[in-house]
Amino acid sequence: MERHDAIVIGAGLNGLVAAAYLARAGLSVLVLDRAFAPGGIAAEHEVAPGYRLPRFALGSGGLPPRIAADLDLPRHGLRFIRAEGGVTCFPDGSYHASYRDGLVHRREIARFSRRDADAFTRYRRDMLRAAGGLAPLLAGPAHTPARGIFGGLRARLSLADSIAAIAPGDLRDMLRLWTLPASDFLDAYFESDAVKAHLAAAAMMGGTLGPRTPASASRLVFPWLSEPGDATGGAPETLMPFGGPAALVQALTSVILASGGRLRMEAEVTDIRIKDRKVQGVVLANGEEIGAGAVLSGLDVKRSFLSLFQWKDLPEGLVERVGRVRMRGVAAKVNMALDAAPVFPGLPEGCPSLGGGLRLAGSLPAMERAWADWRERMPPRDPLIEILMPSFLDPSLAPRGGHVLSALVQYVPEVLHEGPWSAERRDALGDLVMTRLAEVSPGIEKHVVALEVLLPNDIENEIGLTGGDFAYGETMLDQMFANRPFPGMGGAETPLRNFYLCSPSAHPGPLVMGGAGANAASTLLGRLGKAVRT
């Protein structure tokens, strides 16, 4: 029987990161995925011949510099583009752009309020401080309750030390972020509704909270987690891999192969072999068995335990704990191929902020109403929409003169109150997105070569992500840090020996791209007494 030191289930970004670390440490690594190409939700897709974009993910974001350096990704061809922070367009025809340059960004805010332009310095300072307080908690593996009484005590003391190291003022601000509504938090800094809506729109994407919901202020800090500089700077920049997420997938795959690892696509894992709560290998859909010293799952926590194991083989109570993890779809994906560049007459000609994306948003009350519709499982009437046109920065993604457009539609329920989505409802959602786009880019509908609408249940059915939840589990405080994916299993290590979770269902969730994969590899290598090779 074929055997490896480690098998990674799923060739998504976190699975590839984990495999790259393990392969570079000298382990025999095999990555298995049921798809025909690696990448998971970041896998490249042709929405029309020659028009390439990630089918499920929006496409922005890059690995932290620490992970890119550890894996020597630049040597494998990876380059990043630093883009401005994007533009928010409002129903009244006004807009708010973000700029990395502090002077330019404050001048932009001053169009709405001179007082708010001055207040932004304090806001940026406090966001950087909050992000700095979170950094130690996100930088490495969560300290799980280790096996044995003394191991558990050491883990708890280590976590307590991390929290105690946070300055009292920073801890107070962090508690405010994790308890207050975003609207209340922003009211303490700004007076302009447009400025507040611009900041809230960027933060609410992908979450299950509205801007007036308690604890939604925590999402305001997420865009600042990797932001450098001091209070004099501007808005957080957007970091994107040149060539799109496919370039990142290609670089990670190159690291794995160059280090002796292997990838097998169209190889679906249906079962995990286990004896005495000790994982011994996997079984593929064709009946093939492959042995392994350790198995790492890049699937979400529900798929990892409830689909890959016989429930009778799991520890008592584990099925119930996994079942209580909240995973809910909150966004649909709309992909378009355009035969010409869209024109935005309401924006300054050549507006550089467009490279960082475009948000179509209303006021904070409008966002809260959209969230309420989602809670009631109603089709979105006025959704928050985030759009990225990566071909503006990377023309190679489309034929000459053409462009690709990728949109996330926020507050789209997985199932409607009246039952599953119908074809008519799906088409109506696509029409709504096109109508909203045409309001800021008249005539764009005439240039559409192809368009597809992917609902949360499509995302679940096609890539196996429970509920179509891009976050792999809600990012509320009770499901974060040492409680992710659930209390009692805070991190990559699981109650089953030799079985690790390397998807964003584990700490640090979706807040650090590739972080869960890096943490799982670090945890396994620590168990084996091996160091991470950098």
mmCIF file of all heavy atoms in Angstrom, residues 447-490:
data_model
loop_
_atom_site.group_PDB
_atom_site.id
_atom_site.type_symbol
_atom_site.label_atom_id
_atom_site.label_comp_id
_atom_site.label_asym_id
_atom_site.label_seq_id
_atom_site.Cartn_x
_atom_site.Cartn_y
_atom_site.Cartn_z
ATOM 1 N N HIS A 447 -21.872 45.398 -23.202
ATOM 2 C CA HIS A 447 -20.537 44.834 -23.405
ATOM 3 C C HIS A 447 -20.361 43.481 -22.724
ATOM 4 O O HIS A 447 -19.245 42.960 -22.666
ATOM 5 C CB HIS A 447 -19.483 45.810 -22.889
ATOM 6 C CG HIS A 447 -19.476 47.125 -23.608
ATOM 7 N ND1 HIS A 447 -19.017 47.263 -24.892
ATOM 8 C CD2 HIS A 447 -19.908 48.356 -23.215
ATOM 9 C CE1 HIS A 447 -19.142 48.519 -25.280
ATOM 10 N NE2 HIS A 447 -19.679 49.212 -24.281
ATOM 11 N N VAL A 448 -21.443 42.909 -22.194
ATOM 12 C CA VAL A 448 -21.344 41.639 -21.487
ATOM 13 C C VAL A 448 -21.237 40.488 -22.487
ATOM 14 O O VAL A 448 -22.139 40.252 -23.290
ATOM 15 C CB VAL A 448 -22.554 41.426 -20.553
ATOM 16 C CG1 VAL A 448 -22.488 40.047 -19.906
ATOM 17 C CG2 VAL A 448 -22.590 42.511 -19.488
ATOM 18 N N VAL A 449 -20.113 39.779 -22.438
ATOM 19 C CA VAL A 449 -19.897 38.604 -23.276
ATOM 20 C C VAL A 449 -20.474 37.362 -22.605
ATOM 21 O O VAL A 449 -21.040 36.478 -23.262
ATOM 22 C CB VAL A 449 -18.390 38.412 -23.555
ATOM 23 C CG1 VAL A 449 -18.135 37.130 -24.335
ATOM 24 C CG2 VAL A 449 -17.826 39.618 -24.283
ATOM 25 N N ALA A 450 -20.316 37.281 -21.301
ATOM 26 C CA ALA A 450 -20.823 36.139 -20.537
ATOM 27 C C ALA A 450 -21.071 36.588 -19.106
ATOM 28 O O ALA A 450 -20.402 37.502 -18.597
ATOM 29 C CB ALA A 450 -19.828 34.983 -20.565
ATOM 30 N N LEU A 451 -22.045 35.943 -18.464
ATOM 31 C CA LEU A 451 -22.393 36.268 -17.078
ATOM 32 C C LEU A 451 -22.868 35.000 -16.390
ATOM 33 O O LEU A 451 -23.623 34.217 -16.965
ATOM 34 C CB LEU A 451 -23.491 37.339 -17.032
ATOM 35 C CG LEU A 451 -23.972 37.819 -15.657
ATOM 36 C CD1 LEU A 451 -24.397 39.283 -15.732
ATOM 37 C CD2 LEU A 451 -25.142 36.970 -15.145
ATOM 38 N N GLU A 452 -22.392 34.775 -15.161
ATOM 39 C CA GLU A 452 -22.883 33.646 -14.381
ATOM 40 C C GLU A 452 -23.155 34.096 -12.950
ATOM 41 O O GLU A 452 -22.462 34.963 -12.414
ATOM 42 C CB GLU A 452 -21.903 32.472 -14.392
ATOM 43 C CG GLU A 452 -20.566 32.736 -13.742
ATOM 44 C CD GLU A 452 -19.676 31.492 -13.710
ATOM 45 O OE1 GLU A 452 -20.163 30.396 -14.047
ATOM 46 O OE2 GLU A 452 -18.489 31.629 -13.343
ATOM 47 N N VAL A 453 -24.199 33.512 -12.368
ATOM 48 C CA VAL A 453 -24.597 33.807 -10.989
ATOM 49 C C VAL A 453 -24.444 32.531 -10.173
ATOM 50 O O VAL A 453 -25.026 31.492 -10.517
ATOM 51 C CB VAL A 453 -26.058 34.307 -10.922
ATOM 52 C CG1 VAL A 453 -26.461 34.565 -9.475
ATOM 53 C CG2 VAL A 453 -26.230 35.564 -11.758
ATOM 54 N N LEU A 454 -23.662 32.604 -9.107
ATOM 55 C CA LEU A 454 -23.439 31.462 -8.234
ATOM 56 C C LEU A 454 -24.009 31.785 -6.857
ATOM 57 O O LEU A 454 -23.543 32.707 -6.174
ATOM 58 C CB LEU A 454 -21.945 31.155 -8.128
ATOM 59 C CG LEU A 454 -21.267 30.767 -9.445
ATOM 60 C CD1 LEU A 454 -19.750 30.810 -9.284
ATOM 61 C CD2 LEU A 454 -21.714 29.392 -9.895
ATOM 62 N N LEU A 455 -25.010 31.043 -6.443
ATOM 63 C CA LEU A 455 -25.646 31.226 -5.149
ATOM 64 C C LEU A 455 -24.914 30.417 -4.083
ATOM 65 O O LEU A 455 -24.105 29.528 -4.403
ATOM 66 C CB LEU A 455 -27.105 30.784 -5.240
ATOM 67 C CG LEU A 455 -27.958 31.543 -6.265
ATOM 68 C CD1 LEU A 455 -29.292 30.843 -6.468
ATOM 69 C CD2 LEU A 455 -28.165 32.981 -5.816
ATOM 70 N N PRO A 456 -25.177 30.680 -2.795
ATOM 71 C CA PRO A 456 -24.493 29.906 -1.748
ATOM 72 C C PRO A 456 -24.637 28.398 -1.904
ATOM 73 O O PRO A 456 -23.677 27.653 -1.667
ATOM 74 C CB PRO A 456 -25.156 30.417 -0.466
ATOM 75 C CG PRO A 456 -25.524 31.823 -0.772
ATOM 76 C CD PRO A 456 -25.963 31.787 -2.211
ATOM 77 N N ASN A 457 -25.828 27.919 -2.320
ATOM 78 C CA ASN A 457 -25.976 26.472 -2.467
ATOM 79 C C ASN A 457 -25.186 25.942 -3.670
ATOM 80 O O ASN A 457 -24.755 24.786 -3.678
ATOM 81 C CB ASN A 457 -27.454 26.084 -2.570
ATOM 82 C CG ASN A 457 -28.138 26.679 -3.785
ATOM 83 O OD1 ASN A 457 -27.929 27.836 -4.115
ATOM 84 N ND2 ASN A 457 -28.956 25.887 -4.462
ATOM 85 N N ASP A 458 -24.954 26.775 -4.689
ATOM 86 C CA ASP A 458 -24.076 26.374 -5.800
ATOM 87 C C ASP A 458 -22.650 26.182 -5.298
ATOM 88 O O ASP A 458 -21.954 25.237 -5.687
ATOM 89 C CB ASP A 458 -24.070 27.433 -6.906
ATOM 90 C CG ASP A 458 -25.427 27.616 -7.556
ATOM 91 O OD1 ASP A 458 -26.112 26.604 -7.775
ATOM 92 O OD2 ASP A 458 -25.799 28.772 -7.826
ATOM 93 N N ILE A 459 -22.235 27.105 -4.450
ATOM 94 C CA ILE A 459 -20.875 27.048 -3.906
ATOM 95 C C ILE A 459 -20.707 25.789 -3.061
ATOM 96 O O ILE A 459 -19.687 25.093 -3.137
ATOM 97 C CB ILE A 459 -20.590 28.327 -3.088
ATOM 98 C CG1 ILE A 459 -20.627 29.546 -4.022
ATOM 99 C CG2 ILE A 459 -19.252 28.227 -2.368
ATOM 100 C CD1 ILE A 459 -20.753 30.863 -3.314
ATOM 101 N N GLU A 460 -21.735 25.458 -2.272
ATOM 102 C CA GLU A 460 -21.675 24.231 -1.464
ATOM 103 C C GLU A 460 -21.640 22.992 -2.354
ATOM 104 O O GLU A 460 -20.818 22.087 -2.143
ATOM 105 C CB GLU A 460 -22.869 24.152 -0.519
ATOM 106 C CG GLU A 460 -22.907 22.855 0.278
ATOM 107 C CD GLU A 460 -23.900 22.851 1.405
ATOM 108 O OE1 GLU A 460 -24.773 23.744 1.445
ATOM 109 O OE2 GLU A 460 -23.810 21.955 2.265
ATOM 110 N N ASN A 461 -22.497 22.949 -3.348
ATOM 111 C CA ASN A 461 -22.603 21.753 -4.187
ATOM 112 C C ASN A 461 -21.377 21.555 -5.063
ATOM 113 O O ASN A 461 -20.955 20.420 -5.314
ATOM 114 C CB ASN A 461 -23.860 21.830 -5.061
ATOM 115 C CG ASN A 461 -25.136 21.770 -4.252
ATOM 116 O OD1 ASN A 461 -25.153 21.259 -3.134
ATOM 117 N ND2 ASN A 461 -26.214 22.310 -4.797
ATOM 118 N N GLU A 462 -20.777 22.649 -5.538
ATOM 119 C CA GLU A 462 -19.689 22.518 -6.504
ATOM 120 C C GLU A 462 -18.319 22.344 -5.871
ATOM 121 O O GLU A 462 -17.462 21.652 -6.423
ATOM 122 C CB GLU A 462 -19.686 23.718 -7.455
ATOM 123 C CG GLU A 462 -20.949 23.790 -8.318
ATOM 124 C CD GLU A 462 -20.798 24.733 -9.492
ATOM 125 O OE1 GLU A 462 -19.657 24.894 -9.979
ATOM 126 O OE2 GLU A 462 -21.806 25.320 -9.915
ATOM 127 N N ILE A 463 -18.088 22.961 -4.712
ATOM 128 C CA ILE A 463 -16.768 22.819 -4.095
ATOM 129 C C ILE A 463 -16.827 22.250 -2.683
ATOM 130 O O ILE A 463 -15.809 22.160 -2.010
ATOM 131 C CB ILE A 463 -15.992 24.152 -4.083
ATOM 132 C CG1 ILE A 463 -16.747 25.230 -3.296
ATOM 133 C CG2 ILE A 463 -15.697 24.625 -5.484
ATOM 134 C CD1 ILE A 463 -15.936 26.493 -3.133
ATOM 135 N N GLY A 464 -18.029 21.875 -2.226
ATOM 136 C CA GLY A 464 -18.141 21.202 -0.940
ATOM 137 C C GLY A 464 -17.921 22.086 0.266
ATOM 138 O O GLY A 464 -17.449 21.615 1.303
ATOM 139 N N LEU A 465 -18.265 23.358 0.171
ATOM 140 C CA LEU A 465 -18.115 24.278 1.294
ATOM 141 C C LEU A 465 -19.476 24.433 1.967
ATOM 142 O O LEU A 465 -20.404 25.007 1.388
ATOM 143 C CB LEU A 465 -17.588 25.624 0.800
ATOM 144 C CG LEU A 465 -17.300 26.708 1.837
ATOM 145 C CD1 LEU A 465 -16.370 26.183 2.929
ATOM 146 C CD2 LEU A 465 -16.694 27.931 1.165
ATOM 147 N N THR A 466 -19.608 23.926 3.166
ATOM 148 C CA THR A 466 -20.891 23.869 3.850
ATOM 149 C C THR A 466 -21.576 25.231 3.889
ATOM 150 O O THR A 466 -20.991 26.219 4.327
ATOM 151 C CB THR A 466 -20.716 23.346 5.291
ATOM 152 O OG1 THR A 466 -20.138 22.037 5.246
ATOM 153 C CG2 THR A 466 -22.057 23.275 6.009
ATOM 154 N N GLY A 467 -22.814 25.266 3.417
ATOM 155 C CA GLY A 467 -23.591 26.490 3.424
ATOM 156 C C GLY A 467 -23.112 27.539 2.449
ATOM 157 O O GLY A 467 -23.692 28.626 2.392
ATOM 158 N N GLY A 468 -22.068 27.238 1.700
ATOM 159 C CA GLY A 468 -21.475 28.273 0.856
ATOM 160 C C GLY A 468 -20.861 29.382 1.681
ATOM 161 O O GLY A 468 -20.787 30.541 1.237
ATOM 162 N N ASP A 469 -20.382 29.034 2.888
ATOM 163 C CA ASP A 469 -19.834 30.014 3.826
ATOM 164 C C ASP A 469 -18.353 30.243 3.531
ATOM 165 O O ASP A 469 -17.506 29.420 3.888
ATOM 166 C CB ASP A 469 -20.027 29.518 5.257
ATOM 167 C CG ASP A 469 -19.514 30.491 6.303
ATOM 168 O OD1 ASP A 469 -19.029 31.584 5.920
ATOM 169 O OD2 ASP A 469 -19.589 30.170 7.497
ATOM 170 N N PHE A 470 -18.033 31.365 2.880
ATOM 171 C CA PHE A 470 -16.649 31.660 2.512
ATOM 172 C C PHE A 470 -15.731 31.797 3.725
ATOM 173 O O PHE A 470 -14.513 31.667 3.606
ATOM 174 C CB PHE A 470 -16.585 32.953 1.692
ATOM 175 C CG PHE A 470 -17.122 32.827 0.297
ATOM 176 C CD1 PHE A 470 -18.210 33.573 -0.124
ATOM 177 C CD2 PHE A 470 -16.548 31.956 -0.612
ATOM 178 C CE1 PHE A 470 -18.711 33.464 -1.410
ATOM 179 C CE2 PHE A 470 -17.040 31.831 -1.909
ATOM 180 C CZ PHE A 470 -18.131 32.590 -2.307
ATOM 181 N N ALA A 471 -16.297 32.083 4.908
ATOM 182 C CA ALA A 471 -15.492 32.247 6.113
ATOM 183 C C ALA A 471 -15.197 30.911 6.785
ATOM 184 O O ALA A 471 -14.463 30.862 7.769
ATOM 185 C CB ALA A 471 -16.188 33.184 7.099
ATOM 186 N N TYR A 472 -15.766 29.804 6.299
ATOM 187 C CA TYR A 472 -15.585 28.475 6.896
ATOM 188 C C TYR A 472 -16.067 28.436 8.352
ATOM 189 O O TYR A 472 -15.557 27.691 9.169
ATOM 190 C CB TYR A 472 -14.119 28.033 6.838
ATOM 191 C CG TYR A 472 -13.650 27.588 5.481
ATOM 192 C CD1 TYR A 472 -13.510 28.498 4.435
ATOM 193 C CD2 TYR A 472 -13.320 26.253 5.240
ATOM 194 C CE1 TYR A 472 -13.068 28.087 3.177
ATOM 195 C CE2 TYR A 472 -12.879 25.841 3.989
ATOM 196 C CZ TYR A 472 -12.761 26.767 2.970
ATOM 197 O OH TYR A 472 -12.318 26.357 1.725
ATOM 198 N N GLY A 473 -17.047 29.242 8.675
ATOM 199 C CA GLY A 473 -17.548 29.353 10.044
ATOM 200 C C GLY A 473 -17.607 30.813 10.434
ATOM 201 O O GLY A 473 -16.695 31.588 10.123
ATOM 202 N N GLU A 474 -18.695 31.209 11.096
ATOM 203 C CA GLU A 474 -18.859 32.615 11.468
ATOM 204 C C GLU A 474 -17.666 33.115 12.282
ATOM 205 O O GLU A 474 -17.100 32.390 13.094
ATOM 206 C CB GLU A 474 -20.134 32.800 12.295
ATOM 207 C CG GLU A 474 -21.402 32.741 11.477
ATOM 208 C CD GLU A 474 -22.619 33.134 12.299
ATOM 209 O OE1 GLU A 474 -22.490 33.322 13.529
ATOM 210 O OE2 GLU A 474 -23.703 33.262 11.711
ATOM 211 N N THR A 475 -17.305 34.375 12.053
ATOM 212 C CA THR A 475 -16.166 34.969 12.754
ATOM 213 C C THR A 475 -16.640 35.813 13.931
ATOM 214 O O THR A 475 -16.226 36.952 14.110
ATOM 215 C CB THR A 475 -15.323 35.823 11.787
ATOM 216 O OG1 THR A 475 -16.188 36.763 11.116
ATOM 217 C CG2 THR A 475 -14.636 34.950 10.755
ATOM 218 N N MET A 476 -17.538 35.251 14.734
ATOM 219 C CA MET A 476 -17.947 35.874 15.986
ATOM 220 C C MET A 476 -16.967 35.457 17.076
ATOM 221 O O MET A 476 -16.274 34.441 16.962
ATOM 222 C CB MET A 476 -19.367 35.442 16.350
ATOM 223 C CG MET A 476 -20.411 35.846 15.318
ATOM 224 S SD MET A 476 -20.786 37.590 15.396
ATOM 225 C CE MET A 476 -21.773 37.643 16.886
ATOM 226 N N LEU A 477 -16.924 36.224 18.162
ATOM 227 C CA LEU A 477 -15.936 36.001 19.202
ATOM 228 C C LEU A 477 -16.024 34.586 19.776
ATOM 229 O O LEU A 477 -15.001 33.991 20.127
ATOM 230 C CB LEU A 477 -16.095 37.040 20.318
ATOM 231 C CG LEU A 477 -15.007 37.060 21.402
ATOM 232 C CD1 LEU A 477 -13.636 37.244 20.783
ATOM 233 C CD2 LEU A 477 -15.287 38.164 22.408
ATOM 234 N N ASP A 478 -17.246 34.027 19.864
ATOM 235 C CA ASP A 478 -17.380 32.680 20.428
ATOM 236 C C ASP A 478 -16.905 31.598 19.467
ATOM 237 O O ASP A 478 -16.841 30.426 19.846
ATOM 238 C CB ASP A 478 -18.832 32.413 20.847
ATOM 239 C CG ASP A 478 -19.786 32.372 19.663
ATOM 240 O OD1 ASP A 478 -19.601 33.179 18.719
ATOM 241 O OD2 ASP A 478 -20.704 31.553 19.669
ATOM 242 N N GLN A 479 -16.551 31.983 18.230
ATOM 243 C CA GLN A 479 -16.003 31.033 17.273
ATOM 244 C C GLN A 479 -14.657 31.516 16.725
ATOM 245 O O GLN A 479 -14.298 31.220 15.586
ATOM 246 C CB GLN A 479 -16.981 30.804 16.106
ATOM 247 C CG GLN A 479 -18.205 29.991 16.489
ATOM 248 C CD GLN A 479 -19.037 29.526 15.311
ATOM 249 O OE1 GLN A 479 -19.998 28.795 15.499
ATOM 250 N NE2 GLN A 479 -18.695 29.924 14.089
ATOM 251 N N MET A 480 -13.917 32.227 17.551
ATOM 252 C CA MET A 480 -12.615 32.730 17.130
ATOM 253 C C MET A 480 -11.556 32.366 18.159
ATOM 254 O O MET A 480 -11.848 31.949 19.280
ATOM 255 C CB MET A 480 -12.669 34.246 16.939
ATOM 256 C CG MET A 480 -13.455 34.690 15.707
ATOM 257 S SD MET A 480 -12.758 34.072 14.154
ATOM 258 C CE MET A 480 -11.181 34.939 14.138
ATOM 259 N N PHE A 481 -10.293 32.528 17.759
ATOM 260 C CA PHE A 481 -9.136 32.320 18.612
ATOM 261 C C PHE A 481 -9.160 30.902 19.192
ATOM 262 O O PHE A 481 -9.281 29.945 18.434
ATOM 263 C CB PHE A 481 -9.054 33.409 19.691
ATOM 264 C CG PHE A 481 -9.112 34.801 19.116
ATOM 265 C CD1 PHE A 481 -10.200 35.626 19.341
ATOM 266 C CD2 PHE A 481 -8.095 35.275 18.299
ATOM 267 C CE1 PHE A 481 -10.271 36.889 18.796
ATOM 268 C CE2 PHE A 481 -8.150 36.551 17.740
ATOM 269 C CZ PHE A 481 -9.243 37.355 17.993
ATOM 270 N N ALA A 482 -9.064 30.749 20.516
ATOM 271 C CA ALA A 482 -9.012 29.416 21.116
ATOM 272 C C ALA A 482 -10.340 28.680 20.999
ATOM 273 O O ALA A 482 -10.412 27.488 21.300
ATOM 274 C CB ALA A 482 -8.601 29.511 22.580
ATOM 275 N N ASN A 483 -11.404 29.359 20.567
ATOM 276 C CA ASN A 483 -12.709 28.716 20.382
ATOM 277 C C ASN A 483 -12.964 28.314 18.933
ATOM 278 O O ASN A 483 -14.089 27.913 18.619
ATOM 279 C CB ASN A 483 -13.834 29.658 20.825
ATOM 280 C CG ASN A 483 -13.939 29.740 22.330
ATOM 281 O OD1 ASN A 483 -13.466 28.861 23.045
ATOM 282 N ND2 ASN A 483 -14.553 30.798 22.814
ATOM 283 N N ARG A 484 -11.955 28.442 18.079
ATOM 284 C CA ARG A 484 -12.173 28.101 16.673
ATOM 285 C C ARG A 484 -11.510 26.770 16.371
ATOM 286 O O ARG A 484 -10.301 26.618 16.628
ATOM 287 C CB ARG A 484 -11.623 29.209 15.753
ATOM 288 C CG ARG A 484 -12.061 29.039 14.296
ATOM 289 C CD ARG A 484 -11.775 30.292 13.492
ATOM 290 N NE ARG A 484 -12.320 30.194 12.146
ATOM 291 C CZ ARG A 484 -13.529 30.596 11.781
ATOM 292 N NH1 ARG A 484 -14.305 31.156 12.685
ATOM 293 N NH2 ARG A 484 -13.963 30.452 10.545
ATOM 294 N N PRO A 485 -12.253 25.771 15.865
ATOM 295 C CA PRO A 485 -13.632 25.879 15.382
ATOM 296 C C PRO A 485 -14.701 25.814 16.466
ATOM 297 O O PRO A 485 -15.824 26.232 16.244
ATOM 298 C CB PRO A 485 -13.757 24.668 14.445
ATOM 299 C CG PRO A 485 -12.821 23.664 15.031
ATOM 300 C CD PRO A 485 -11.666 24.454 15.551
ATOM 301 N N PHE A 486 -14.359 25.262 17.646
ATOM 302 C CA PHE A 486 -15.336 25.221 18.736
ATOM 303 C C PHE A 486 -14.569 25.081 20.047
ATOM 304 O O PHE A 486 -13.401 24.668 20.070
ATOM 305 C CB PHE A 486 -16.352 24.074 18.564
ATOM 306 C CG PHE A 486 -15.734 22.722 18.310
ATOM 307 C CD1 PHE A 486 -15.184 21.973 19.343
ATOM 308 C CD2 PHE A 486 -15.704 22.198 17.031
ATOM 309 C CE1 PHE A 486 -14.625 20.733 19.112
ATOM 310 C CE2 PHE A 486 -15.145 20.953 16.783
ATOM 311 C CZ PHE A 486 -14.598 20.218 17.822
ATOM 312 N N PRO A 487 -15.187 25.455 21.170
ATOM 313 C CA PRO A 487 -14.504 25.336 22.465
ATOM 314 C C PRO A 487 -14.047 23.900 22.716
ATOM 315 O O PRO A 487 -14.785 22.941 22.482
ATOM 316 C CB PRO A 487 -15.588 25.758 23.464
ATOM 317 C CG PRO A 487 -16.498 26.646 22.692
ATOM 318 C CD PRO A 487 -16.529 26.071 21.297
ATOM 319 N N GLY A 488 -12.808 23.782 23.175
ATOM 320 C CA GLY A 488 -12.247 22.468 23.415
ATOM 321 C C GLY A 488 -11.361 21.976 22.291
ATOM 322 O O GLY A 488 -10.650 20.983 22.438
ATOM 323 N N MET A 489 -11.399 22.656 21.144
ATOM 324 C CA MET A 489 -10.516 22.313 20.030
ATOM 325 C C MET A 489 -10.089 23.596 19.352
ATOM 326 O O MET A 489 -10.523 23.929 18.262
ATOM 327 C CB MET A 489 -11.220 21.390 19.032
ATOM 328 C CG MET A 489 -10.262 20.802 17.979
ATOM 329 S SD MET A 489 -11.150 20.062 16.589
ATOM 330 C CE MET A 489 -10.247 20.810 15.228
ATOM 331 N N GLY A 490 -9.264 24.357 20.001
ATOM 332 C CA GLY A 490 -8.904 25.666 19.479
ATOM 333 C C GLY A 490 -7.685 25.636 18.600
ATOM 334 O O GLY A 490 -6.606 26.065 19.004
#
